[in-house]
């Protein structure tokens, strides 16, 4: 039994693009509890009103009362923003600090999110700082390749590394893995190594952004204003921007 196995037994996994009032409140609490409240107030809250977001959630519920504000606690969340051409812009799975090494939970959330995206997205990608080989290599090893989307901040240029959701599931070994086996880490050593490298590298890459230090961000969350951050020279034709179409409930 792993250290996190007992906690993982109480966790409920869901995917939604139309979160309830309870989930929105739980998201705000989750961000505040983990010292990045601005992620909710400046990005998630306004985007939930207009953008096409998909949330993969790992939650626990209080015993009583079972509903209402405060009834849900978010333990981890994976986020995708669906842009034009049905391309999904990803934010690495964020966990409560007590789950920082809970690779089983992160893997289960990743599986849920990618499976949901496989039904509605042509690709899924991360925005990686140019020439940041540690992050690039971690993504290349699981089937992500440099795509045509280029973005920029005042401090650095970023390139999208993308794969189809199906390809990412297969290369990560999540396509055939059962959620129960992931949560208990009933995996062989090679798969555990692959999932650990993937998660820990992405978590390290996005950490500077979450702590409000954009200058040092090796990875941008898939929640940024892609149009505002495009480089002055533009990007190749066909580059997608954010989509603000109607939301579709895919809660499972």
């Amino acid at each position: 039994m792993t250290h996190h196995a007992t906690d993982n037994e109480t966790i409920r996994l869901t995917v939604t693009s139309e979160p309830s009032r309870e989930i929105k409140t739980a998201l705000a609490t989750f961000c505040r509890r983990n010292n990045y409240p601005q992620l909710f107030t400046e990005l998630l809250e306004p985007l939930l009103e207009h953008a096409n977001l998909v949330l993969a959630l790992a939650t626990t519920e209080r015993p009583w009362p079972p509903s209402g504000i405060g009834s849900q606690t978010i333990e981890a969340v994976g986020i995708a923003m669906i842009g034009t051409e049905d391309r999904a812009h990803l934010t690495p799975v964020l966990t409560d600090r007590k789950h920082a090494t809970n690779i089983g939970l992160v893997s289960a959330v990743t599986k849920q999110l990618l499976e949901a995206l496989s039904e509605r997205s042509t690709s899924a990608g991360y925005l990686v700082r140019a020439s940041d080989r540690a992050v690039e290599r971690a993504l290349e090893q699981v089937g992500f390749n440099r795509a045509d989307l280029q973005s920029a901040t005042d401090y650095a240029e970023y390139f999208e590394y993308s794969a189809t959701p199906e390809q990412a599931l297969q290369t990560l070994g999540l396509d055939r893995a059962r959620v129960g086996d992931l949560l208990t880490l009933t995996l062989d050593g090679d798969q555990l190594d692959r999932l650990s490298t993937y998660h820990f590298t992405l978590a390290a890459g996005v950490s500077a952004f979450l702590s409000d230090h954009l200058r040092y961000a090796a990875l941008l969350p898939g929640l940024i204003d892609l149009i505002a951050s495009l480089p002055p020279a533009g990007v190749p034709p066909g580059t997608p921007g954010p989509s603000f179409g109607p939301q579709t409930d895919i809660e499972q």
Side-chain angles (χ1 to χ4, degrees), residues 15 41 63 73 88 125 168 188 194 205 213 230 242:
V15 179
T41 57
T73 297
D188 63 44
R194 191 182 309 118
H213 291 88
L230 292 178

Side-chain angles (χ1 to χ4, degrees), residues 29 67-68 75-76 78 89 114 121 141 170 180 193 202 210 227 230:
T29 302
S67 61
E75 308 292 345
H89 308 292
L114 290 175
S121 300
Q141 287 181 317
Q170 183 177 5
D193 290 345
L202 294 181
L210 295 177
I227 297 299
L230 292 178

Side-chain angles (χ1 to χ4, degrees), residues 55-67:
L55 307 176
L57 299 160
T59 60
T60 52
E61 301 175 354
R62 69 185 177 197
W64 188 262
S67 61

Side-chain angles (χ1 to χ4, degrees), residues 204-217:
V206 79
S207 61
F209 184 94
L210 295 177
S211 62
D212 211 14
H213 291 88
L214 181 60
R215 177 189 297 270
Y216 307 115

Side-chain angles (χ1 to χ4, degrees), residues 17-19 24 27 38-55 79-82 89 91 209 221-226 242-247:
S17 61
E18 201 168 274
K24 290 179 181 178
L27 271 172
Q38 77 283 355
L39 181 68
F40 183 81
T41 57
E42 297 177 14
L43 291 174
L44 284 173
E45 187 174 29
L47 285 173
L48 284 169
E49 297 297 324
H50 302 289
N52 197 352
L53 297 188
V54 180
L55 307 176
I79 307 168
M81 183 171 75
I82 310 299
H89 308 292
T91 297
F209 184 94
L223 302 170
I224 65 166
D225 186 341
L226 295 174
S243 171
F244 297 96
Q247 296 180 349

